[in-house]
Structures are given as structure tokens and as C-alpha cells.
Amino acid sequence: MRVLVVEDEQYMARVLELGLKREAIAVDVVHDGATALERLTVYDYDAVVLDRDLPGVHGDEVCRRVVAMGLECRVLMLTAAGRLGDKVEGLGLGADDYLAKPFDFPELVARLRALYRRSPMAYSPVLTFADLSFDTHRRRVVRSGREIRLTPKEMSVLELLMRADGGVLSAEYLLDKAWDAQADPLTNAVRLVVHTLRRKLGDPRLVHTAISAGYYLGAK
């Protein structure tokens, strides 16, 4: 999952960034509405964590434009305005969910994952391929009864490959969805993560390379 956090309070933005990255979620952070709208026209985000009270372009206007542009990303409003009327208004603007500050971080993550599962392509929380299973809610990977410990980035790449169900994903696509905007497009990070993922998953090999095209899962 790739998420855009739009939060003008620097400390809160940093907390959200670090916490979501620990949950194997790729995160970009901006601090005002105008920059958020620029990012949304460039990158394909799965969800936006949107503070309502933003400088410049207000969060309400950002939400309206996301809806008007027909973007498929989900909007979770995260704001100090937690009264029932505020929630009703925020949802009426087109937000998919609304969470008032202060909040429990596990609840934020759970809500984001629920929004991800409700995206245009319905996603199951438990993915399976051959003898491999991945519980995306509990972040638990098991192969033939053996639990496999993966880093957050390895989990992100594996989840994308499992959702593709044997389809070939280019290194560029994986970089776009599993890394943030600071990633160097010429980096070999994807190749290195795939290499360690193959080693940890063991034999017979599940992650294969399509020459000059990308990577895919195959039980052969």
C-alpha cells in the first residue's frame, strides 16, 4: 500500500510517517493542501490521510478535488474536529473514513487496511499462492507451516506479487508502490529485496524473473 499523509503539524507528520513505515506501508508526507494536490496528479496512491485544517488549500477542498478528479485513492480524514456534525460534514465531502485526534495508532492502521480492501479491486486480508499464505492483517507469512520473518519492505513487495496472482510486475511498478517519492528511479533496491525474499521463502523457488519485464510468482 502507498499512502500520502497530508499534515501541517511537523511532529504529527513524522509520527505518522515512521509508524506507517513500520507497518510495511510506503509513505509520502506533505504539509499543505496545494502540494498534496500536486502529488496526487503525479503518483498513484492507495489512500490519503488528510488533515482537515490545512494552510493554503483547505483539507475540505483537497477532498472535493480528489472526488472531482475521479481518483481511486481512499480518503481518511484525520482531524481534531471530532464532533458528530464535523464527521457528517467530512464524510459528506466525499471522505471514505473519519478519525478524530487523539487516536490510537493501531486503529488508524486497521482503518487504512480496511479502506485498501474496499478499493475497486476487492482484496482479501489473507493471500495464498501455492503453499504460501500471507495474513496481511496480522502481517504473518507462512510457507508449508513454517513462519517466515520478513522486513516491512519485503512484506510490501511480496504482497504486491501475491495480489498480482502470477502476473508480471515491473521493477518500476514495485518501486512506485512499495517505496516513497524519495526513491532513486535508478536504484537496485527492488532487485536486492527480491533476492533476499527468494532466499527467505526457500525452495522450490516462488519468485521468478521475466527477462526485461519484471518479477512474478510461479509454482514451478
Side-chain angles (χ1 to χ4, degrees), residues 45-199:
Y45 293 102
D46 298 297
V48 181
V49 176
L50 178 65
D51 183 30
R52 215 173 161 185
D53 190 17
L54 292 171
V57 180
H58 195 272
D60 289 358
E61 181 60 22
V62 173
C63 187
R64 289 191 193 96
R65 294 196 196 179
V66 168
V67 175
M69 289 187 291
L71 300 179
E72 293 184 349
C73 62
R74 302 296 186 178
V75 177
L76 189 158
M77 279 192 169
L78 186 64
T79 173
R83 296 173 301 177
L84 178 60
D86 296 315
K87 294 180 181 181
V88 171
E89 184 179 3
L91 294 171
L93 293 169
D96 298 279
D97 202 355
Y98 196 108
L99 187 59
K101 302 175 184 176
F103 59 92
D104 292 322
F105 198 81
E107 181 181 2
L108 170 66
V109 173
R111 286 173 180 258
L112 282 174
R113 296 201 186 284
L115 290 177
Y116 188 49
R117 292 195 296 269
R118 282 160 40 197
S119 63
M121 292 178 62
Y123 291 138
S124 167
V126 179
L127 307 174
T128 59
F129 189 91
D131 58 349
L132 180 70
S133 69
F134 184 2
D135 186 330
T136 61
H137 177 67
R138 295 179 175 83
R139 314 307 293 166
R140 185 169 183 261
V141 177
V142 176
R143 185 175 189 189
S144 297
R146 177 178 63 92
E147 185 168 357
I148 301 169
R149 301 295 296 273
L150 300 178
T151 67
K153 198 63 69 182
E154 290 162 358
M155 283 189 179
S156 295
V157 171
L158 178 62
E159 183 172 353
L160 290 166
L161 290 169
M162 292 186 76
R163 293 198 188 284
D165 195 28
V168 176
L169 300 182
S170 68
E172 292 77 15
Y173 177 85
L174 292 171
L175 190 68
D176 181 65
K177 298 297 287 185
W179 276 260
D180 57 34
Q182 305 306 314
D184 182 350
L186 300 179
T187 183
N188 64 351
V190 174
R191 181 176 62 81
L192 293 175
V193 167
V194 169
H195 174 75
T196 58
L197 189 57
R198 280 177 177 152
R199 177 176 54 80

Side-chain angles (χ1 to χ4, degrees), residues 1-3 20-27 109 112-113 156:
M1 187 194 312
R2 185 168 183 179
V3 173
L20 292 175
K21 284 183 176 179
R22 282 196 295 268
E23 295 293 328
I25 296 173
V27 185
V109 173
L112 282 174
R113 296 201 186 284
S156 295

